[in-house]
Amino acid sequence: MPTPWKGVYPAVTTQFRQDQLLDLDATARHLEALIDSGVSGLIVCGSLGENQAMEPQEKRQVVELAIKTSRGRVPVVSGVAETSTAAAIRYVRDCERLGAAGFMVMPAMVYKADAPEAMHFFRSVAAATRLPWMLYNNPIGYPVDVTPEMFKELSDIENLAAIKESSGDTRRVTQIRLAVGDRFSLFCGVDDLILEASILGIDGWVAGTGIAFPRENQHLWELMRAGKWDEARTMYRWFSPLLRLDVHPHFVQYIKLAVQETGLGKEWVREPRLPIAGAERETVLRIIREGIANRPKLK
């Protein structure tokens, strides 16, 4: 399936049971709800999908499930979060055989690569697959920063199609455009900067909190694409407290709790993560429930 790399590509949670085993049926139900909302693609096994807490065969099961559930309606992209170049190469080759449409590639996990090492890693993974892929730049979460100048160097990689920009600095949108023009599709990966990034000119959104509010998330995206900024600002102000749940170290727990509150899944995470409790839980639940109570009425 061609991968257009435009629009909303939600980062989907992997649903677990309370005993931490995979719940593939629940994952499939959530995927269906996201597809029904009008998303342009699906990203599984990313950071929000708890990639690093899953066994190798489990990740492949989730990718296979998403492809089966999609039935060609939208492309399925898999996150690549491995600790070695060899493991990343094995993973992309396996997912290509399963029928994935592309990849979202993070730097090699655990080791903090310097710039030449990071560039070598990305080039090695790219050479292992014919499929298009997105480079996930998140120097806050994964302390490797791919700068606009580095993207310029990487622009000769034919199957590098997109950038997920999550540095938290909206200046990067313009800096990347000045460095490489429209060579790559540019995605915002920070939920509570989506309006600002859209004004500066992006092609897509890797949405986090929006997986709990898929219709509202899609509506906000469509308002921004249509340049209806007054309506978009109103929607964004309602959404903003919820979108900020995506930028906390416990973002997986927070977003899974939101998914549970909206009836789209369960909050169970895999250790070492634990469900949030106490005052933290009360605070997050208040934000989620206020968002649900004040949910905009969409036509």
Side-chain angles (χ1 to χ4, degrees), residues 1-5 9 39-43 70 72-77 100-102:
M1 175 188 294
T3 308
W5 300 106
Y9 276 58
V39 299
S40 297
L42 298 168
I43 299 176
S70 171
R73 291 173 290 173
V74 296
V76 173
V77 172

Side-chain angles (χ1 to χ4, degrees), residues 27-293:
T27 302
R29 287 193 294 272
H30 195 188
L31 292 170
E32 282 288 357
L34 292 166
I35 293 169
D36 288 346
S37 74
V39 299
S40 297
L42 298 168
I43 299 176
V44 297
C45 297
S47 307
L48 191 53
E50 298 177 73
N51 184 307
Q52 296 170 62
M54 285 194 287
E55 298 295 328
Q57 71 273 15
E58 291 178 318
K59 290 185 269 193
R60 289 156 174 82
Q61 279 182 275
V62 171
V63 172
E64 188 172 22
L65 170 80
I67 294 164
K68 180 179 178 182
T69 302
S70 171
R71 302 193 307 278
R73 291 173 290 173
V74 296
V76 173
V77 172
S78 178
V80 180
E82 304 294 337
T83 58
S84 72
T85 304
I89 287 171
R90 283 195 298 272
Y91 186 73
V92 297
R93 287 175 174 167
D94 286 350
C95 289
E96 184 169 354
R97 283 192 287 270
L98 289 171
F103 302 99
M104 181 180 74
V105 183
M106 305 169 214
M109 298 290 103
V110 183
Y111 178 66
K112 182 179 178 180
D114 62 22
E117 290 171 329
M119 300 284 268
H120 180 75
F121 172 79
F122 288 124
R123 287 186 181 278
S124 298
V125 176
T129 178
R130 298 168 300 168
L131 296 178
W133 60 283
M134 167 191 290
L135 195 158
Y136 180 9
N137 184 45
N138 183 350
I140 299 170
Y142 308 112
V144 174
D145 189 9
V146 183
T147 65
E149 283 305 310
M150 291 167 71
F151 280 118
K152 191 173 182 179
E153 288 185 49
L154 293 170
S155 62
D156 64 324
I157 302 176
E158 290 186 9
N159 61 342
L160 175 51
I163 299 166
K164 178 184 175 183
E165 173 49 37
S166 297
S167 68
D169 181 358
T170 53
R171 287 184 290 261
R172 282 289 180 93
V173 174
T174 301
Q175 290 168 355
I176 290 170
R177 291 298 191 202
L178 288 172
V180 296
D182 295 326
R183 164 64 181 83
F184 304 111
S185 292
L186 187 53
F187 280 63
C188 177
V190 181
D191 275 357
D192 66 346
L193 291 178
I194 186 60
L195 181 61
E196 296 85 343
S198 293
I199 291 169
L200 293 170
I202 56 173
D203 303 294
W205 179 9
V206 178
T209 306
I211 65 171
F213 299 87
R215 291 185 65 245
E216 291 81 2
N217 196 88
Q218 191 67 27
H219 183 67
L220 174 58
W221 175 253
E222 290 168 0
L223 289 174
M224 294 185 297
R225 296 307 286 175
K228 296 180 179 179
W229 300 115
D230 288 339
E231 293 177 64
R233 273 192 295 271
T234 299
M235 189 82 180
Y236 193 49
R237 286 168 185 161
W238 162 76
F239 218 171
S240 186
L242 294 161
L243 296 178
R244 281 198 294 273
L245 300 178
D246 184 52
V247 294
H248 187 278
H250 289 161
F251 73 101
V252 174
Q253 291 95 317
Y254 290 1
I255 292 174
K256 278 195 160 181
L257 186 57
V259 166
Q260 180 169 278
E261 288 292 303
T262 56
L264 295 176
K266 296 295 183 182
E267 68 172 308
W268 309 122
V269 288
R270 179 166 281 180
E271 294 180 8
R273 290 183 176 91
L274 296 173
I276 56 171
E280 181 184 17
R281 184 181 185 86
E282 291 173 10
T283 298
V284 174
L285 278 173
R286 184 176 68 252
I287 292 168
I288 296 167
R289 289 170 179 171
E290 285 178 359
I292 292 171

